[in-house]
Amino acid sequence: MNKDHNQVWKNCLEVIKDNVSPQGFKTWFEPIKPVKLEDSILTIQVPSQFFYEWLEEHYVSLLKKIIRKELGAEGRLEYSIIMENNHNNANPYTIKVPTSNRKAVKNSPVTMPLDLGESPIKNPFIIPGLRKMQVDSNLNPNYSFDNFIEGDCNRLARSAGFAVANKPGGTAFNPLLIYGGVGLGKTHLAHAIGIEIKNKFEDKTVLYVSSEKFTHQFIDAVKNNTVNDFTHFYQMIDVLIIDDVQFFSGKEKTQDVFFHIFNHLHQTGKQIIITSDKPPVEMQGMEQRLLSRFKWGLSADLQVPSLETRIAILKKKMYADGIDLPDEVVEYLGYSITSNVRELEGALISLIAQSSLNKKAITLDLAKQMIDKFVKNTAREVSIDYIQKVVCDYFDLPIELLKSKTRKREIVQARQIAMYFAKKMTKSSLASIGAHCGGKDHATVLHACRTVNNLQETDKHFRKYLEDLEKKLSIA
Ligand code: ADP
Ligand code: MG
């Protein structure tokens, strides 16, 4: 058969287009790239594991039919997935369809998989048959600096990470400790540093390992009587990245072996990068001597990203996944999900999935409903930012003016209304509401609330404004 994969896929798309909703087509089929056609097997590249599972779950029978029509009874489809959170292999891997079990079949792995149960090689990281010790760095190529949006929330940690990447072991930032709450980008940043070092210094041995994995390896080493091998292996690493070090707490033996590895690496000018969910002073169950070493270098924290950064992250993510959403939806997500980036991404994915499932276009309404259903457990409340935005949109005023100190009449009134709703709908203190609205004090906010209440009783136009706004602000 002498068919070209592009042409075949194009033919498939034509049929698919007639059989799925426009949004479904856009979300799930436009981002697919045909890769090759060999022996009646068409390989298509999809952006993520989630994407593949989604296709399998929802479109498999359609795809089967179409492939059979295009390529005959022998026709098969294979997916090539751009790697996500699987750290073992940077290359896309391939999954065959039809398949009854969901397990990914790796395509010629270049490195030894970490979890190979009955490996004849003692150390799971070492690739056999090479002269110089080669270590699978375990880095996820998606977690690069390029994909890491910079904001006030991460500026210090990011630039320290960058400095370390330019001169591993050669800066005062050794160890570099990155700490912050869950889902704020610690793991991402740690990988980014590792990737950057690998790009700049090909010969350096970089290793990313979670504290959990380190602990399990150590326990195995104790069982198998190979603690020396274990220690030696780690002492040969040039750049050691230990993720979620808080997992070591209360594990004295693991801390002990890590202490020795740490000392050796530090003395020989090797770089150590650690992440943790809290700063050293707050780490419980950690040996003092280890804690004091954590403080030798630089501790940099990651904070909750600002609204602008959250929106930038969403846009970047959408771009990477080939998804397009109306601006008002993106803004709504950014306004509503304030606590961490992982949740933000989760909401985005749920939204796309939801829209595809119900064959509905992604509208602001759908976003509101979805957030209510999926993100409820985070006790979300409308944010002051969101209230300000809705009020300004309603009165067609620039939001900067509302946040400024200006005393222009129409701005003052809009500002007062925003304060009133902030008081009514959020748990923020009067002082913090004031700070958000042009740096006013709590007495001004109180006064604003009274004024709005009075006007509401006496002015029916004003009352109408409030009713409209209240509707816009209440979710779903
Ligand atoms: P942590 O390790 O702190 O719990 P992660 O590094 O796993 O958090 O980040 C959670 C998700 O948020 C990841 O998908 C990551 O890519 C994304 N993320 C976090 N911060 C940023 C950022 N500044 N820019 C882009 N994506 C980010
Ligand atoms: Mg993490």
Side-chain angles (χ1 to χ4, degrees):
M1 199 179 326
N2 242 349
K3 282 186 179 167
D4 161 62
H5 57 276
N6 286 314
Q7 189 55 48
V8 168
W9 184 240
K10 216 172 132 211
N11 297 345
C12 294
L13 283 182
E14 254 155 32
V15 185
I16 293 168
K17 207 167 191 164
D18 288 337
N19 284 283
V20 304
S21 72
Q23 185 65 43
F25 184 80
K26 202 171 159 146
T27 308
W28 302 109
F29 293 96
E30 279 184 4
I32 294 177
K33 284 202 202 93
V35 186
K36 63 174 187 209
L37 176 62
E38 265 172 30
D39 305 330
S40 296
I41 299 174
L42 175 69
T43 307
I44 57 174
Q45 191 181 70
V46 297
S48 63
Q49 175 79 20
F50 172 75
F51 206 99
Y52 147 73
E53 284 171 7
W54 189 265
L55 286 174
E56 273 281 82
E57 189 107 15
H58 300 276
Y59 298 112
V60 72
S61 59
L62 177 66
L63 283 169
K64 268 189 196 163
K65 245 184 260 163
I66 293 170
I67 288 292
R68 203 161 298 149
K69 184 167 156 278
E70 276 299 314
L71 300 174
E74 297 297 297
R76 292 274 182 284
L77 189 63
E78 282 189 7
Y79 298 87
S80 168
I81 299 176
I82 299 175
M83 290 298 291
E84 259 180 340
N85 290 326
N86 188 322
H87 310 318
N88 295 347
N89 186 349
N91 297 332
Y93 60 96
T94 301
I95 295 168
K96 286 188 176 120
V97 168
T99 165
S100 51
N101 79 5
R102 274 282 150 73
K103 264 211 168 143
V105 179
K106 286 205 191 96
N107 192 15
S108 63
V110 280
T111 51
M112 258 205 48
L114 272 175
D115 298 316
L116 209 63
E118 291 160 56
S119 159
I121 295 119
K122 276 216 190 100
N123 198 296
F125 290 109
I126 298 180
I127 304 163
L130 290 160
R131 256 178 295 123
K132 188 177 179 298
M133 181 181 79
Q134 291 269 329
V135 171
D136 178 355
S137 293
N138 230 355
L139 293 165
N140 177 348
N142 290 331
Y143 284 167
S144 62
F145 270 115
D146 279 350
N147 291 339
F148 192 75
I149 301 282
E150 182 173 358
D152 287 337
C153 56
N154 59 37
R155 193 154 285 127
L156 174 67
R158 190 183 179 283
S159 50
F162 211 72
V164 163
N166 280 321
K167 245 179 139 189
T171 66
F173 310 152
N174 201 12
L176 174 61
L177 175 75
I178 301 164
Y179 68 90
V182 43
L184 293 182
K186 301 181 295 292
T187 298
H188 187 142
L189 188 55
H191 278 269
I193 300 168
I195 292 169
E196 190 69 19
I197 294 176
K198 263 309 207 193
N199 286 340
K200 291 207 166 98
F201 308 91
E202 225 181 294
D203 291 342
K204 287 221 186 288
T205 312
V206 178
L207 179 65
Y208 166 91
V209 63
S210 69
S211 304
E212 200 171 348
K213 181 148 250 154
F214 181 93
T215 306
H216 290 314
Q217 286 178 345
F218 173 61
I219 293 170
D220 283 347
V222 172
K223 259 192 233 146
N224 301 332
N225 239 332
T226 53
V227 174
N228 276 343
D229 289 351
F230 174 85
T231 314
H232 282 144
F233 168 75
Y234 274 97
Q235 288 179 344
M236 270 150 66
I237 302 292
D238 294 320
V239 178
L240 180 60
I241 305 169
I242 300 267
D243 202 3
D244 287 322
V245 80
Q246 74 274 0
F247 187 82
F248 285 167
S249 72
K251 302 188 174 65
E252 278 170 36
K253 291 264 158 44
T254 311
Q255 287 183 35
D256 196 50
V257 74
F258 182 62
F259 177 76
H260 291 293
I261 291 167
F262 184 104
N263 283 344
H264 183 92
L265 293 178
H266 200 271
Q267 276 159 19
T268 49
K270 307 298 176 57
Q271 180 70 44
I272 301 151
I273 298 154
I274 303 167
T275 79
S276 162
D277 67 351
K278 28 180 124 42
V281 282
E282 287 170 24
M283 286 183 207
Q284 306 278 325
M286 206 70 93
E287 276 185 54
Q288 210 46 49
R289 55 181 189 167
L290 207 48
L291 283 184
S292 82
R293 272 159 183 76
F294 289 174
K295 293 182 217 156
W296 277 355
L298 177 76
S299 303
D301 68 332
L302 292 177
Q303 295 191 342
V304 176
S306 69
L307 175 67
E308 287 73 21
T309 311
R310 293 198 298 274
I311 291 180
I313 291 173
L314 281 172
K315 292 207 161 144
K316 179 102 196 172
K317 180 94 188 132
M318 284 159 46
Y319 182 79
D321 289 355
I323 296 158
D324 201 16
L325 293 185
D327 275 351
E328 57 175 3
V329 173
V330 180
E331 278 170 14
Y332 182 75
L333 289 180
Y335 279 114
S336 324
I337 300 179
T338 53
S339 53
N340 82 54
V341 181
R342 189 171 303 141
E343 228 161 60
L344 198 62
E345 290 184 348
L348 183 66
I349 293 174
S350 304
L351 184 56
I352 294 159
Q354 182 70 359
S355 126
S356 174
L357 190 67
N358 300 335
K359 305 206 187 327
K360 278 192 205 156
I362 301 181
T363 59
L364 190 55
D365 264 355
L366 183 66
K368 287 180 177 176
Q369 287 170 22
M370 194 279 303
I371 291 210
D372 230 23
K373 276 198 211 117
F374 289 79
V375 199
K376 213 185 252 143
N377 50 4
T378 59
R380 193 182 50 80
E381 61 177 35
V382 181
S383 67
I384 303 179
D385 282 331
Y386 188 64
I387 292 171
Q388 290 177 331
K389 152 114 172 96
V390 169
V391 171
C392 285
D393 281 355
Y394 185 75
F395 293 113
D396 200 16
L397 299 169
I399 195 155
E400 300 77 51
L401 280 184
L402 194 116
K403 292 185 184 182
S404 76
K405 292 196 185 302
T406 180
R407 289 173 178 281
K408 270 202 195 139
R409 223 182 79 83
E410 82 262 24
I411 307 282
V412 170
Q413 190 160 76
R415 194 188 285 132
Q416 287 181 329
I417 293 177
M419 288 173 170
Y420 163 84
F421 279 115
K423 178 73 194 107
K424 189 167 168 186
M425 303 181 101
T426 76
K427 294 192 199 76
S428 306
S429 66
L430 293 172
S432 121
I433 293 171
H436 266 76
C437 301
K440 308 290 183 195
D441 60 16
H442 80 280
T444 311
V445 180
L446 209 53
H447 174 72
C449 295
R450 286 206 193 102
T451 310
V452 172
N453 272 325
N454 288 340
L455 278 172
Q456 165 163 245
E457 278 160 25
T458 53
D459 181 335
K460 75 167 192 278
H461 293 293
F462 192 85
R463 189 157 59 235
K464 173 81 170 56
Y465 294 160
L466 291 188
E467 282 167 11
D468 284 355
L469 282 165
E470 178 129 28
K471 236 181 260 159
K472 285 184 191 296
L473 286 168
S474 59
I475 316 287

